[in-house]
Amino acid sequence: MKAISRKTSRLATVGALAGTAVLAVSVPAFAHVTVQPEGAAAKGGYAVVDFKVPNERDNASTTKLEVNFPTDHPLASVMPEPIDGWKIAVTKSKLAKPLEMHGEKISEAVTKVTWTADGKGVQPGYFQKFPVSVGALPEDADQLVFKALQTYSNNEVVRWIEVPQKGQAEPDNPAPTLQLTAADDAHQAAAQGTSTGSKAAASTTTASAESGNDTTARVLGIVGIVIGAAGVAYGVFAGRRRTTAA
């Protein structure tokens, strides 16, 4: 009985240590600063993305977030959404190679957006989303990396700038990474559907017009026959009257 009791105690201890290890690994992963689209982030399109910032500290609040936008794939349009309790600063820089958007050349693009709390910020036990409308997303990339700096009220700065690599373990401070999906062909299908519908409608209209013309021709033909028959009958009747009178 003592041996069984000792074995059970050891198993319980091992299980507790394993559970603690799992928590130790999962908590930091949950606390990362991340970026996720509201819907899809399709190549060549526009999207609203949320930078999600959880507070990792028990004795300090997050009071500042700096997000650096990629320079290898600059975005011509970047518009942050106003958030109560936060001031927003947008930094633009000259581009080495101008972008073309809607037929116009753009020589500068947003390279950084900074949110600074003018209140309590993100307090312990809470998280905050920072939405931004971006576009047009590159067509020649599968992901965009946004390096971010998170500042706490105690002046501690956490640098989320390590770029995750395929086939390797996730770094301790991974940079927020936006995965891009294949270009959305829904609008093309809709356009084709509209074109097909228009052609079908035109065909139906033409068929209806032809049918209407054919019906009209038949009616006129019948009317002509009736009138002609009436004329012949009248002629015969008139001839008979003349013969009788003579």
Coordinates of all heavy atoms in Angstrom, one line a residue, residues 232-246:
V232 N -64.5 41.4 -102.4 CA -65.0 40.5 -103.4 C -66.4 40.2 -103.3 O -67.2 40.2 -104.3 CB -64.1 39.2 -103.4 CG1 -64.8 38.1 -104.3 CG2 -62.7 39.4 -103.7
A233 N -66.9 40.0 -102.1 CA -68.3 39.7 -101.8 C -69.1 40.9 -102.2 O -70.2 40.8 -102.8 CB -68.5 39.4 -100.3
Y234 N -68.7 42.1 -101.9 CA -69.4 43.3 -102.3 C -69.5 43.4 -103.8 O -70.6 43.8 -104.4 CB -68.8 44.6 -101.8 CG -69.5 45.8 -102.2 CD1 -70.6 46.2 -101.5 CD2 -68.9 46.6 -103.2 CE1 -71.3 47.4 -101.9 CE2 -69.6 47.8 -103.6 CZ -70.8 48.2 -102.9 OH -71.4 49.3 -103.3
G235 N -68.4 43.1 -104.5 CA -68.4 43.2 -106.0 C -69.4 42.2 -106.6 O -70.2 42.5 -107.5
V236 N -69.4 41.0 -106.1 CA -70.4 39.9 -106.6 C -71.8 40.4 -106.3 O -72.7 40.2 -107.2 CB -70.1 38.6 -105.9 CG1 -71.2 37.6 -106.2 CG2 -68.7 38.1 -106.3
F237 N -72.1 40.9 -105.1 CA -73.4 41.3 -104.7 C -73.9 42.5 -105.7 O -75.0 42.5 -106.2 CB -73.5 41.8 -103.3 CG -74.8 42.3 -102.8 CD1 -75.9 41.4 -102.6 CD2 -75.0 43.6 -102.7 CE1 -77.1 41.9 -102.2 CE2 -76.3 44.1 -102.3 CZ -77.3 43.2 -102.1
A238 N -73.0 43.4 -105.9 CA -73.3 44.5 -106.8 C -73.6 44.1 -108.2 O -74.5 44.6 -108.9 CB -72.2 45.6 -106.8
G239 N -72.8 43.1 -108.7 CA -73.1 42.6 -110.0 C -74.4 41.9 -110.2 O -75.1 42.1 -111.2
R240 N -74.8 41.2 -109.2 CA -76.1 40.5 -109.2 C -77.2 41.5 -109.2 O -78.2 41.3 -109.9 CB -76.3 39.6 -108.0 CG -75.4 38.3 -108.0 CD -75.6 37.5 -106.8 NE -74.8 36.3 -106.9 CZ -74.8 35.3 -106.0 NH1 -75.5 35.5 -104.8 NH2 -74.0 34.3 -106.1
R241 N -77.1 42.6 -108.5 CA -78.2 43.6 -108.4 C -78.3 44.3 -109.8 O -79.4 44.5 -110.3 CB -77.8 44.7 -107.4 CG -78.0 44.2 -106.0 CD -77.8 45.3 -105.0 NE -78.9 46.3 -105.2 CZ -78.9 47.5 -104.5 NH1 -78.0 47.7 -103.6 NH2 -79.9 48.3 -104.8
R242 N -77.2 44.5 -110.5 CA -77.3 45.1 -111.8 C -77.9 44.2 -112.8 O -78.7 44.6 -113.7 CB -75.8 45.5 -112.3 CG -75.2 46.6 -111.6 CD -73.8 46.8 -111.9 NE -73.2 47.9 -111.2 CZ -71.9 48.2 -111.2 NH1 -71.1 47.4 -112.0 NH2 -71.4 49.1 -110.5
T243 N -77.6 42.9 -112.7 CA -78.2 41.9 -113.6 C -79.7 41.8 -113.4 O -80.5 41.8 -114.4 CB -77.6 40.5 -113.4 OG1 -76.2 40.7 -113.6 CG2 -78.2 39.5 -114.4
T244 N -80.2 41.8 -112.2 CA -81.6 41.8 -111.9 C -82.3 43.0 -112.4 O -83.4 42.9 -112.9 CB -81.8 41.6 -110.4 OG1 -81.1 40.5 -109.9 CG2 -83.2 41.5 -110.0
A245 N -81.7 44.2 -112.2 CA -82.3 45.4 -112.6 C -82.5 45.5 -114.1 O -83.5 46.0 -114.7 CB -81.5 46.6 -112.2
A246 N -81.6 44.9 -114.9 CA -81.6 44.9 -116.3 C -82.8 44.0 -116.8 O -83.5 44.3 -117.7 CB -80.3 44.5 -116.9

